[in-house]
Amino acid sequence: MSELKHCLQKLQNSGEKALGIFVTSGFPTIAATGPILEAIDAGGADFIELGMPFSDPLAEGKTIQMSSAVALDSGVTMDYTFEKARIFKEKSDTPILLMGYVNPILQYGLSNFFSSCQSSRVSAVILPDLPHKTRLSIRQKALDHGIDIVYLVAPTTSNDRLTAIDELSEGFVYAVSMTGLTGTSMPDKTVVMNYLKRVRSHVRRNPVLVGFGISSADDIKTLTENIDGCIVGSALIRLLEDVWQSETLSESDRMNRVTDFVRELKTGTGPVRKAGSARPVASSQ
Amino acid sequence: MKSTAHTSPFLSARGYDMPDEDGYFGEYGGAFVPEILGPALEELTAAFEDARSDPDFIRVLDDLLQTYVGRPTPLTYAARLTEEVGAPKIYLKREDLCHTGAHKINNTMGQVLLARRLGKKRIIAETGAGQHGVATATVCAHFGMQCIVYMGDEDIRRQALNVHRMRILGAEVRPASSGSRTLKDATNEAIRDWVTNVESTYYIIGSVVGPHPYPAMVREFQAIIGRETSRQLTLLEGRAYPDALLACIGGGSNAIGLFYPFLDLREVACYGVEAAGEGIEARHAATLTRGRQGVLHGALSYLLQNSEGQVQEAHSISAGLDYPGVGPEHAHLKDIGRVTILTATDEEALEAVSRLSRLEGIIPALETAHAIARVDEVATGMSADQSLVICCSGRGDKDMSTIAEYLSSRDE
């Protein structure tokens, strides 16, 4: 069982929701990524998604587009990202996932890529532009190296597709909260929650985590009621942008802000319910 | 070869059966897009398959192509160019005479009918030179539909005339200001818009690029170029096919439109010309010539990219060819050796604009001029009784300021 699966299983058993934090590798500076990963970990993130920057990130809103462009301009490479993951994993048991787009990993070579994942102790890979039906042997190569491929679903995904994607996905199923880009503000939460209930009822093999547009402990508390956790990305990137622009802050001030931010988000994940009361009750509250 | 007078745009080439049901041309193609769009692409594939076998759809499209677009376009014998080149007989397929000035409207007319069939009211498009944007704005005006066109900042500057045309036609032109601020970035923005508004919106892609079914669908709507050529050659030459075909390739829609009906006839040589920009060793847009396999905008094809798989900026004086990707079918046709890929530089394209203008009284678009620039090489070894058809994909009015700017900076 991968570190990611093990981690999510443990949380599920204790009735606690998972909090995944996304950060772009090499943003806001090359030197910052190592300390930022540690600061996120110190705040209590259950896993970290390290973004592999790509020149043409189709699913990203302005914030993550900007962070990817900054990282690429400062010379971030795939090997740099693996190095940061490896060094982080020497000191932490928190699972690391990589998130990015298909083309850079094709150029790196699929076998090379997944063996580097293995040697850097990366648990899983998320590729928003990887369709569940494809000729590329990405999923098989990942499985051969013991790496999970997390597939995404969206509000437009039919029930049949949900079932098909659940069959392929390993680790969890990533439920995109809305038809939109990362960092878009959350629409009516009732609509999102109804959609997540539908996802939950058709995804039977995997935990379900929600992402896109989540920025507060309150969002997390509400949206994870019927599912297993959530992922926050753009909100952290915006914080990093702010604190790095503020010249009066020292390095440790900045890292404390990151840790505090994650710690505050983590208050939204419980555990709040005793066994037996986890089932949603329509009349409650 | 079919030489019937049937005008259906949906006859396919015999003996050439691509893409397969998953949208692959050999190893190229596919649909590498966020899951949000997956169901919409399946819906579009089904609607397209349904439409292409619906006599009513075909009749309506045929009628619009004749009475609104101005088809069939002439096949013009280029007498003085033929004389200067020597041999073979050179014909120009006059897509420059389509309404709006280029072949792009063949596709936008087909796709807007599909959008209506799907009940979509909001249309988005990307554009480079602005020809596809104008062609989209035009059909949207014709049908009273909302139209938003994404265009790179740099292209908005160098194709100002087409920006004015789109606005007069009632379209909103939204600048794409990331990256190289050209066609690639406009396409990113259009896809992001579609991800956000997929329920209400139809995305009219302007070339044989993007996820399945777009490369196959745009090809079908453009194949009327080759089918008319075949009928017209039958009358002019007594034979339904030429000895050689020549077209420029950016994304590759005019080229595939001309080539497709002849792909099963091995005796018809096909030549595609890419933009070599400032030179093939300098900044260029010659994706098939210098690119490697990669995924951009939803398809696996050839791609200009660095060793890390980051997409590189293309360069061409012609905004319509200034794109680091290319249609997946062209990647396949190059690999199997069915199409020969050549290149022409900015300078050579400019000379070709002058040459065709002076010899034939036809000012071609800068895109088209890349094909014209290689006519002597293609003609080498051909005889006077043979024929060569060049796709005159667009007219050069839109490029007058670019050409003037280039010439004055060169003369300084």
Side-chain angles (χ1 to χ4, degrees), chain A residues 19-285:
Chain A
L19 172 65
I21 297 287
F22 169 93
V23 66
T24 305
S25 174
F27 180 81
T29 67
I30 287 269
T33 295
I36 288 172
L37 293 176
E38 288 171 18
I40 293 169
D41 199 21
D46 296 301
F47 64 88
I48 301 177
E49 265 183 37
L50 189 53
M52 304 174 279
F54 179 48
S55 53
D56 296 81
L58 288 180
E60 314 302 346
K62 295 269 179 241
T63 303
I64 295 179
Q65 282 178 49
M66 175 279 298
S67 68
S68 304
V70 167
L72 288 175
D73 282 348
S74 61
V76 163
T77 62
M78 199 72 93
D79 284 331
Y80 165 88
T81 301
F82 278 125
E83 179 75 357
K84 292 298 146 191
R86 192 183 58 74
I87 292 170
F88 173 76
K89 286 301 295 176
E90 283 171 1
K91 291 185 250 167
S92 174
D93 290 332
T94 303
I96 281 256
L97 286 66
L98 294 182
M99 183 160 188
Y101 289 78
V102 169
N103 195 55
I105 77 164
L106 280 185
Q107 302 313 314
Y108 197 85
L110 293 181
S111 294
N112 279 345
F113 177 79
F114 289 113
S115 56
S116 292
C117 286
Q118 208 170 10
S119 58
S120 311
R121 292 184 60 202
V122 167
S123 271
V125 175
I126 308 177
L127 302 165
D129 63 341
L130 179 68
H132 71 288
K133 277 195 253 177
T134 172
R135 296 284 171 76
L136 300 179
S137 53
I138 291 180
R139 182 172 175 276
Q140 192 50 52
K141 290 246 165 63
L143 292 177
D144 292 348
H145 289 87
I147 308 298
D148 294 336
I149 295 282
V150 174
Y151 284 84
L152 296 89
V153 299
T156 52
T157 307
S158 66
N159 294 341
D160 287 349
R161 275 175 89 101
L162 286 175
T163 307
I165 291 170
D166 181 31
E167 283 302 314
L168 293 173
S169 204
E170 295 291 334
F172 62 91
V173 164
Y174 190 138
V176 174
S177 64
M178 65 191 121
T179 55
L181 307 170
T182 52
T184 310
S185 56
M186 182 66 62
D188 183 352
K189 280 188 193 155
T190 322
V191 174
V192 180
M193 286 175 72
N194 285 336
Y195 148 70
L196 291 174
K197 275 184 201 162
R198 181 171 71 87
V199 174
R200 176 72 286 170
S201 68
H202 289 87
V203 170
R204 303 210 168 86
R205 276 184 69 238
N206 280 295
V208 174
L209 273 67
V210 65
F212 285 38
I214 297 166
S215 58
S216 70
D218 197 44
D219 289 346
I220 295 168
K221 204 171 203 166
T222 312
L223 293 175
T224 60
E225 185 177 331
N226 304 303
I227 58 165
D228 306 292
C230 69
I231 295 149
V232 176
S234 297
L236 174 69
I237 300 292
R238 283 192 290 266
L239 174 85
L240 295 177
E241 200 185 3
D242 278 356
V243 298
W244 256 261
Q245 269 167 7
S246 165
E247 287 170 12
T248 54
L249 292 176
S250 70
E251 170 87 0
S252 67
D253 291 340
R254 287 171 176 161
M255 294 309 163
N256 288 338
R257 291 282 299 276
V258 172
T259 299
D260 291 347
F261 174 78
V262 175
R263 188 174 288 134
E264 163 60 22
L265 289 174
K266 188 59 193 163
T267 64
T269 68
V272 286
R273 300 181 189 85
K274 299 284 177 218
S277 66
R279 199 174 297 114
V281 180
S283 60
S284 68
Q285 284 119 42

Side-chain angles (χ1 to χ4, degrees), chain B residues 381-397:
Chain B
M382 293 181 76
S383 60
D385 61 343
Q386 290 187 303
S387 57
L388 163 66
V389 175
I390 305 174
C391 189
C392 190
S393 56
R395 59 179 181 243
D397 310 31

